[in-house]
Amino acid sequence: MTFETARNRGARIAATAILGCTLAAAAVAPAPALAEDGTTRTETGSASSAAFLMADSSKIVASVPTRIDFAVNGDGTLIGPSAEALKIKNESVFGIRVAKLKAEASNGFTFVADASKTGTDNAVELNITPAGGATTKAAHVTTDTLLPDPAWSLDRGGSVNVEMGGAVANVTNDLSASQQFATINWTFAPGKIS
């Protein structure tokens, strides 16, 4: 090997080393990187942030009847207010749904699925039906129960009429004066049931 060849070889090795360092430096050049706290670090003078929206379930605005009066016929049939009077209205700026329903019996009354087939004292069969939807029996929603029926969906500014009826059996309470027999708890969530 001559001196000239050795020098060319050394230059090639040096050039390769310089090129390798340049590529390594380019690989760690300033570029936006996601930091552990969810921020973007940039050394290029610009960056982008993605913005997202999500409804706050605790801030939904809806109106429901606060008192529902029923009359009891001699045969035990419950006569409730009109579906229009039992309207639930969405007053939020986005679509919502009645996500859960819970019925709590009170004053010695007990919910039953069928008043005509029970021996339970102060039995109440209470049926709750959204317009165009399936009936939910209060006896089946004594704990927070999900409502999968799309009829419980309310568009922005929309409403749903609700029918309530049923029957009582084996009444031992004095019905000569109005008394509370239940509390209906409505839980709302953003979005529609599909």
Side-chain angles (χ1 to χ4, degrees):
M1 166 182 332
T2 66
F3 176 76
E4 184 66 29
T5 306
R7 190 168 23 158
N8 286 342
R9 182 175 169 194
R12 276 195 322 251
I13 292 172
T16 302
I18 291 170
L19 180 61
C21 288
T22 303
L23 291 174
V28 293
L34 187 62
E36 287 183 25
D37 64 358
T39 61
T40 300
R41 182 174 181 271
T42 181
E43 294 178 9
T44 63
S46 66
S48 298
S49 299
F52 297 84
L53 288 174
M54 183 174 168
D56 184 346
S57 296
S58 68
K59 304 295 184 197
I60 288 174
V61 181
S63 63
V64 299
T66 55
R67 181 180 172 124
I68 304 168
D69 290 302
F70 291 89
V72 180
N73 282 340
D75 64 359
T77 305
L78 291 178
I79 308 296
S82 70
E84 176 71 22
L86 295 176
K87 180 182 290 189
I88 295 174
K89 298 176 189 172
N90 177 10
E91 297 176 4
S92 301
V93 298
F94 47 83
I96 65 171
R97 66 188 187 273
V98 180
K100 294 179 185 176
L101 185 62
K102 180 180 178 183
E104 298 174 289
S106 56
N107 292 322
F109 289 96
T110 303
F111 291 126
V112 295
D114 187 344
S116 67
K117 297 179 180 177
T118 186
T120 304
D121 283 348
N122 296 315
V124 179
E125 174 189 342
L126 180 61
N127 302 312
I128 305 166
T129 310
T135 296
T136 299
K137 292 191 173 283
H140 300 151
V141 292
T142 55
T143 59
D144 277 334
T145 304
L146 289 173
L147 297 174
D149 190 339
W152 288 112
S153 296
L154 295 88
D155 290 329
R156 176 183 56 83
S159 62
V160 62
N161 290 347
V162 180
E163 292 182 10
M164 289 190 192
V168 294
N170 311 316
V171 178
T172 60
N173 284 13
D174 182 0
L175 297 183
S176 62
S178 180
Q179 60 185 284
Q180 184 175 352
F181 72 92
T183 300
I184 309 297
N185 297 298
W186 313 90
T187 301
F188 298 94
K192 291 185 172 187
I193 301 169
S194 49

